[in-house]
């Protein structure tokens, strides 16, 4: 079965800590995405990547960075966590657009609380 | 930025009622994809349907049906004979430029089906 795995379901971190959120997919997908989800705001795109070592800013990249050293892994980094980064973080992957099975597969999310 | 609007924030229905979730999107593209996702209380987004902009056939899948109208930029979703298990947040999401841009999510519609 197709899978996107996020390393932690729940995470509590302190203000100022460097935080790594890991996402791994086993579908050989080219594209990977990080969204955050907040009540009343829906899903907002943080960063995405269309290939290894490539990254593109989404709508709300401030305070975040990403790393994609291998095709299957896309890491989201909070350089210095702040309370306004408390949120649900969702990772997704997809094959290239236009392919027969094009669509996003999501991980189950990481609920991050920054205290 | 191109937008998608789900005007209904929350809907509550009694079991066995039919319910329609609205989605209106903005685009200048001629080729794009449209998706619906379901997010049950467990949190993981589940793919429901993908349509491309060339295919305006309405679609029925069991109790689910979709009405795509390119002329009004709408892609509405109807659940017939709703069940308690349909309770979830539903997201509409277009992907523009033939799918070569990330999904843009609406803010979601929270559906509660009461027994």
């Amino acid at each position: 079965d197709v899978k996107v795995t996020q390393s932690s379901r729940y995470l509590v971190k302190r203000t100022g800590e460097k935080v790594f959120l890991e996402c791994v997919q086993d579908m050989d997908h080219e594209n990977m995405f990080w969204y955050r989800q907040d009540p009343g705001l829906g899903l907002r795109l943080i960063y995405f990547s269309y290939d290894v070592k490539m990254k593109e800013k989404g709508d709300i990249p401030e305070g975040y960075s990403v790393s994609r050293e291998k095709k299957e892994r896309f890491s989201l980094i909070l350089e210095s966590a702040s309370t306004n980064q408390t949120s649900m973080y969702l990772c997704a992957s997809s094959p290239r657009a236009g392919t027969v099975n094009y669509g996003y597969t999501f991980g189950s999310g990481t609920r991050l609380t920054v205290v | 930025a191109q937008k998608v609007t789900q005007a209904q924030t929350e809907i509550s229905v009694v079991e066995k009622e039919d319910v329609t979730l609205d989605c209106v999107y903005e685009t200048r593209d001629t080729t794009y994809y449209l998706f619906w996702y379901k997010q049950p209380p467990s949190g993981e987004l589940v793919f429901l349907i993908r349509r491309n902009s060339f295919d305006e056939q309405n679609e029925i899948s069991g109790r689910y049906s979709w009405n795509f109208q390119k002329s009004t930029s709408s892609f509405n979703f109807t659940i017939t004979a709703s069940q308690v298990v349909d309770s979830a947040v539903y997201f509409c999401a277009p992907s523009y430029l033939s799918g070569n841009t990330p999904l843009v999510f609406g803010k979601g519609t929270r559906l509660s089906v009461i027994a």
Side-chain angles (χ1 to χ4, degrees):
Chain A
D1 207 11
V2 196
K3 270 253 185 237
V4 175
T5 302
Q6 294 184 232
S7 53
S8 304
R9 187 78 170 106
Y10 298 95
L11 213 50
V12 180
K13 295 291 181 181
R14 295 197 178 278
T15 302
E17 277 192 73
K18 190 168 186 175
V19 181
F20 293 84
L21 302 183
E22 305 288 348
C23 176
V24 177
Q25 51 97 0
D26 63 2
M27 298 161 281
D28 201 33
H29 283 172
E30 289 79 10
N31 306 332
M32 297 189 75
F33 309 86
W34 276 105
Y35 290 85
R36 65 176 279 178
Q37 183 178 12
D38 300 288
L41 297 178
L43 277 72
R44 294 179 292 165
L45 181 66
I46 306 172
Y47 267 96
F48 59 102
S49 169
Y50 285 151
D51 206 344
V52 177
K53 296 199 188 287
M54 290 181 64
K55 60 184 179 184
E56 301 277 351
K57 291 180 180 179
D59 298 318
I60 52 164
E62 296 78 18
Y64 303 94
S65 62
V66 289
S67 172
R68 192 160 181 209
E69 296 296 316
K70 294 186 177 181
K71 191 176 186 180
E72 67 270 18
R73 185 181 296 270
F74 192 36
S75 303
L76 180 69
I77 303 156
L78 286 67
E79 297 291 343
S80 177
S82 63
T83 54
N84 63 11
Q85 292 178 309
T86 291
S87 186
M88 170 70 91
Y89 290 87
L90 293 163
C91 176
S93 73
S94 79
R96 291 197 195 285
T99 52
V100 169
N101 58 344
Y102 174 62
Y104 286 32
T105 302
F106 282 85
S108 52
T110 295
R111 186 168 293 283
L112 172 68
T113 303
V114 182
V115 298
Chain B
Q2 302 187 84
K3 291 192 331 184
V4 55
T5 302
Q6 294 181 255
Q8 305 143 308
T9 306
E10 294 192 36
I11 300 175
S12 191
V13 299
V14 176
E15 206 171 19
K16 298 184 184 174
E17 284 185 3
D18 298 347
V19 58
T20 295
L21 310 183
D22 298 331
C23 173
V24 175
Y25 57 92
E26 296 178 5
T27 183
R28 292 178 293 277
D29 294 345
T30 55
T31 307
Y32 48 90
Y33 289 96
L34 297 164
F35 294 82
W36 275 93
Y37 281 85
K38 173 183 179 180
Q39 187 179 38
S42 60
E44 187 167 335
L45 272 85
V46 176
F47 166 80
L48 293 177
I49 190 172
R50 177 194 79 184
R51 303 305 300 276
N52 71 53
S53 52
F54 289 112
D55 183 0
E56 291 193 67
Q57 291 275 357
N58 291 327
E59 183 160 338
I60 298 174
S61 175
R63 294 185 298 108
Y64 296 168
S65 62
W66 288 270
N67 183 358
F68 174 35
Q69 303 224 343
K70 203 169 180 178
S71 60
T72 56
S73 295
S74 67
F75 186 38
N76 298 334
F77 171 37
T78 297
I79 302 174
T80 303
S82 59
Q83 300 176 0
V84 172
V85 293
D86 296 327
S87 297
V89 182
Y90 291 85
F91 291 95
C92 174
S95 178
Y96 299 110
L97 294 179
S98 302
N100 288 312
T101 60
L103 291 186
V104 177
F105 283 87
K107 293 185 179 180
T109 297
R110 181 176 297 279
L111 173 65
S112 298
V113 181
I114 303 162

